[in-house]
Amino acid sequence: MKNRMGCLLGSVLLLLLLCAGVAGWFFLQSGPQGTRAFVQIKTPASGGLTGLNESLPLVVYAEASRPVLRLEVYADGALVAAANGDRHVLTLAQTWAPSTPGRHALLARAFFAPDDFADSQAVFVDTADLSNVPVQINVDALPRAEGV
């Protein structure tokens, strides 16, 4: 009888320890998960082509579980646009004119604190010097008077 009672008590104690372990694991998992953020360069689209020194619209969107304090856009690692805010959603709309030909990598970064930030995916924009390209006009597409 004593053996059964000891076995039963041991089983109950093991079950309690197991329940306490599972409850502790769930408690640790439910703690703060950090800042959840979504940062996206909406315009220009990746793979776009633009002329050298042509103004290109930049539209960047950031949304986070904490207020977005600053939104920055970098072209090839150099800061080209920025906007400040203090809300959970921040949109930046400015222009950028690439001054060198070739492929440029654009990256947006949203700051929530000086050491807490999130980045967008890279967007690649190709720039070409189109100033010497001949302009072709389709004469048949021009409007003309009736009977001509």
Side-chain angles (χ1 to χ4, degrees), residues 8 16 34 47 49 86 103 116 144:
L8 182 61
L16 285 174
L49 176 66
D86 63 349
R103 177 162 280 185
D116 187 14
R144 55 183 176 262

Side-chain angles (χ1 to χ4, degrees), residues 23-75:
W25 184 80
F26 277 117
F27 177 76
L28 290 175
Q29 293 300 315
S30 67
Q33 299 292 325
T35 304
R36 291 183 321 274
F38 174 73
V39 183
Q40 181 185 26
I41 298 176
K42 292 187 172 225
T43 304
S46 195
L49 176 66
T50 186
L52 192 62
N53 295 319
E54 265 185 39
S55 289
L56 192 63
L58 290 174
V59 178
V60 181
Y61 175 82
E63 182 177 342
S65 60
R66 292 177 53 192
V68 180
L69 303 178
R70 185 166 171 86
L71 187 55
E72 297 178 346
V73 180
Y74 299 89

Side-chain angles (χ1 to χ4, degrees), residues 12-26:
V12 169
L13 185 60
L14 182 63
L15 186 60
L16 285 174
L17 285 174
L18 184 62
C19 288
V22 169
W25 184 80
F26 277 117

Side-chain angles (χ1 to χ4, degrees), residues 43-50 56 102-106 122-127:
T43 304
S46 195
L49 176 66
T50 186
L56 192 63
R103 177 162 280 185
H104 300 283
L106 298 175
V123 169
F124 297 98
V125 176
D126 293 317
T127 305

Side-chain angles (χ1 to χ4, degrees), residues 87-146:
R87 297 178 185 241
H88 292 273
V89 175
L90 184 60
T91 301
L92 176 144
Q94 295 181 11
T95 58
W96 167 63
S99 59
T100 57
R103 177 162 280 185
H104 300 283
L106 298 175
L107 182 80
R109 178 170 282 177
F111 287 91
F112 317 106
D115 61 344
D116 187 14
F117 57 87
D119 291 337
S120 70
Q121 288 187 336
V123 169
F124 297 98
V125 176
D126 293 317
T127 305
D129 185 3
L130 303 174
S131 60
N132 295 329
V133 176
V135 177
Q136 294 181 349
I137 298 175
N138 183 359
V139 179
D140 293 330
L142 295 173
R144 55 183 176 262
E146 192 174 316

